[in-house]
């Protein structure tokens, strides 16, 4: 059975375990994101088990991308609230993402500078080690 199809007798959708497997996050994180208001309340089976839908998978992947790019949970929650309000918030959501994009670009530039500095430092150590080892061989 693939993740795209529900388990037999599951009332449709993905179980917490399948959702966790499919998205690479733990069941604990899924439940936390729901409690934190990042994921809308998830549909439940007749046995009261969570059943995630395909749109939940895509939304969670987007949330993970925001988190991995440094967006704080509070901003993610605000974005989720705006999304839940519908089309009237399109401009506000776009503005939030554009602002986050600018912060991300600045972080990338800073990380690139740090990478260059570390590369230069490693090269200096390599040179010092070569010189030191050459000196020891000459003894």
């Amino acid at each position: 059975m693939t993740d795209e199809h529900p388990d037999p007798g599951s009332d449709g959708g993905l179980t917490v375990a399948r959702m966790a497997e499919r998205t690479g996050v733990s069941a604990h994180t899924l439940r936390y994101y729901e409690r934190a208001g990042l994921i809308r309340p998830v549909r439940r089976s007749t046995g009261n088990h969570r059943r995630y839908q395909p749109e939940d998978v895509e939304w969670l992947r987007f949330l993970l991308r925001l988190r991995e790019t440094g967006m704080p949970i509070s901003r993610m929650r605000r974005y989720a609230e705006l999304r839940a309000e519908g089309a009237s918030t399109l401009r506000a959501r776009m503005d939030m993402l554009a602002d986050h994009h600018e912060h991300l670009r600045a972080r990338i530039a800073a990380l690139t500078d740090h990478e260059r500095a570390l590369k230069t430092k490693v090269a200096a150590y390599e040179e010092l080690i070569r010189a030191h080892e050459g000196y020891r061989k000459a003894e």
Side-chain angles (χ1 to χ4, degrees):
M1 174 125 334
T2 66
D3 284 341
E4 287 81 17
H5 301 290
D7 294 324
S10 69
D11 298 327
L14 300 172
T15 63
V16 170
R18 289 260 175 125
M19 181 68 158
E21 179 183 295
R22 184 138 185 223
T23 60
V25 300
S26 68
H28 174 78
T29 298
L30 287 170
R31 291 181 186 106
Y32 169 74
Y33 273 25
E34 190 175 346
R35 281 191 316 273
L38 298 173
I39 299 174
R40 294 180 196 169
V42 177
R43 200 175 96 206
R44 301 286 183 139
S45 70
T46 54
N48 202 31
H49 297 282
R50 288 173 175 85
R51 293 293 182 243
Y52 294 91
Q53 303 306 307
E55 58 272 13
D56 297 323
V57 174
E58 294 310 312
W59 173 240
L60 181 60
R61 285 181 176 156
F62 182 69
L63 288 173
L64 294 172
R65 186 173 303 275
L66 292 177
R67 190 73 190 121
E68 289 174 10
T69 57
M71 184 178 277
I73 294 288
S74 60
R75 298 275 297 162
M76 291 169 59
R77 183 179 301 114
R78 180 63 186 141
Y79 185 88
E81 290 166 356
L82 290 170
R83 178 180 178 254
E85 291 176 26
S88 65
T89 66
L90 286 171
R91 174 135 339 254
R93 286 183 276 163
M94 183 198 68
D95 290 345
M96 280 186 77
L97 292 179
D99 181 59
H100 182 63
H101 184 232
E102 287 305 312
H103 287 285
L104 179 60
R105 289 177 58 83
R107 281 186 50 222
I108 290 169
L111 287 171
T112 299
D113 287 344
H114 297 323
E115 190 269 340
R116 281 189 204 116
L118 286 172
K119 184 177 179 179
T120 300
K121 193 66 164 175
V122 167
Y125 273 104
E126 287 172 341
E127 186 60 34
L128 286 170
I129 289 168
R130 277 194 296 276
H132 177 73
E133 288 174 351
Y135 174 77
R136 290 180 62 205
K137 288 180 185 176
E139 290 181 345

